[in-house]
Amino acid sequence: MAWGKADDQGTDETGEVVHAPYGPLPRGGNVRPMTRWGTPVMHRPQAKVTVFDDALRALAADMVATMYAAEGVGLAACQIGEDVAMFVMDCPDAAGERWMGVVCNPVVHLPEGKDRVLDDSPEGCLSFPGAFVDCARPDHAVVEGVGLDGQPVRFEGDGLLAKCLQHETDHTLGTVFGDRLSARSMKKLRKQHDAAAEDYPAEWPT
């Protein structure tokens, strides 16, 4: 990875533009099994981060390792069984530029009125793997929170990035995207998930 002077923008080995406005993602973590929907920690608001220490950074590194092993674009702490309001991401926006970051205690801000346009493209979740259905969300989102050192962070974007920011913030509030689906869509999602179950054993993606 080649970074700019402020460590906020660079290009990867393919020449793709990568933004990391608060520094590169923590590395060196361990891949952990994915926590699934139905586990209590997935369905309750997560504990706010109040201590910014090496343990928090180590957790974030495990989350990054697990996200990449599962080929995801975002991961919340509850998805590896931790009751911590934090997510990591490496996700492209509508222009295909990647955004990397860690957000603790996220708060999402969405457009209203005439500025609110819904994107009903397919959505999936690493904690309910192998399944995707259309899920309508605003096509632009802003998330504010704090980083691993307690400093304010802010991410804004469109396309898949907007979905990611909303999806991962939802996780910190105990909401899975299935909670936002109609019964018909949820039935379709569950059918896909069940059909793919053999590809995602309990220890996946370790």
Side-chain angles (χ1 to χ4, degrees), residues 12-31:
D12 66 10
E13 59 277 0
T14 68
E16 189 175 29
V17 176
V18 181
H19 301 271
Y22 306 101
L25 293 173
R27 298 302 185 103
N30 298 311
V31 178

Side-chain angles (χ1 to χ4, degrees), residues 128-206:
F128 202 75
F132 298 85
V133 296
D134 294 348
C135 181
R137 293 187 187 267
D139 66 353
H140 188 274
V142 176
V143 164
E144 296 179 319
V146 293
L148 291 174
D149 298 321
Q151 80 280 17
V153 299
R154 182 181 187 275
F155 289 93
E156 177 177 3
D158 53 11
L160 184 58
L161 179 59
K163 283 216 167 198
C164 179
L165 292 171
Q166 295 171 73
H167 181 113
E168 301 306 335
T169 299
D170 270 357
H171 274 311
T172 70
L173 301 173
T175 299
V176 299
F177 93 93
D179 296 333
R180 298 184 175 276
L181 299 177
S182 67
R184 180 178 181 181
S185 292
M186 189 61 215
K187 182 178 180 180
K188 179 180 178 182
L189 190 76
R190 189 173 299 280
K191 183 176 181 180
Q192 291 181 35
H193 169 265
D194 292 349
E198 290 186 0
D199 297 327
Y200 302 96
E203 66 275 13
W204 176 80
T206 59

Side-chain angles (χ1 to χ4, degrees), residues 66-141:
T66 305
M67 174 182 71
Y68 284 137
E71 299 183 349
V73 296
L75 190 83
C78 62
Q79 294 183 272
I80 56 170
E82 299 289 346
D83 185 3
V84 179
M86 175 170 68
F87 71 81
V88 301
M89 66 176 185
D90 179 352
C91 185
D93 60 16
E97 298 185 3
R98 287 165 52 199
W99 291 84
M100 293 182 177
V102 181
V103 185
C104 303
N105 308 334
V107 176
V108 68
H109 305 281
L110 301 173
E112 298 180 354
K114 62 181 178 59
D115 295 324
R116 184 180 177 91
V117 178
L118 296 181
D119 170 8
D120 63 354
S121 59
E123 188 166 335
C125 182
L126 296 176
S127 291
F128 202 75
F132 298 85
V133 296
D134 294 348
C135 181
R137 293 187 187 267
D139 66 353
H140 188 274

Side-chain angles (χ1 to χ4, degrees), residues 46-71:
Q46 307 303 300
K48 298 292 186 183
V49 178
T50 58
V51 178
F52 301 88
D53 56 8
D54 289 343
L56 184 70
R57 184 168 290 275
L59 172 58
D62 285 357
M63 292 164 61
V64 171
T66 305
M67 174 182 71
Y68 284 137
E71 299 183 349

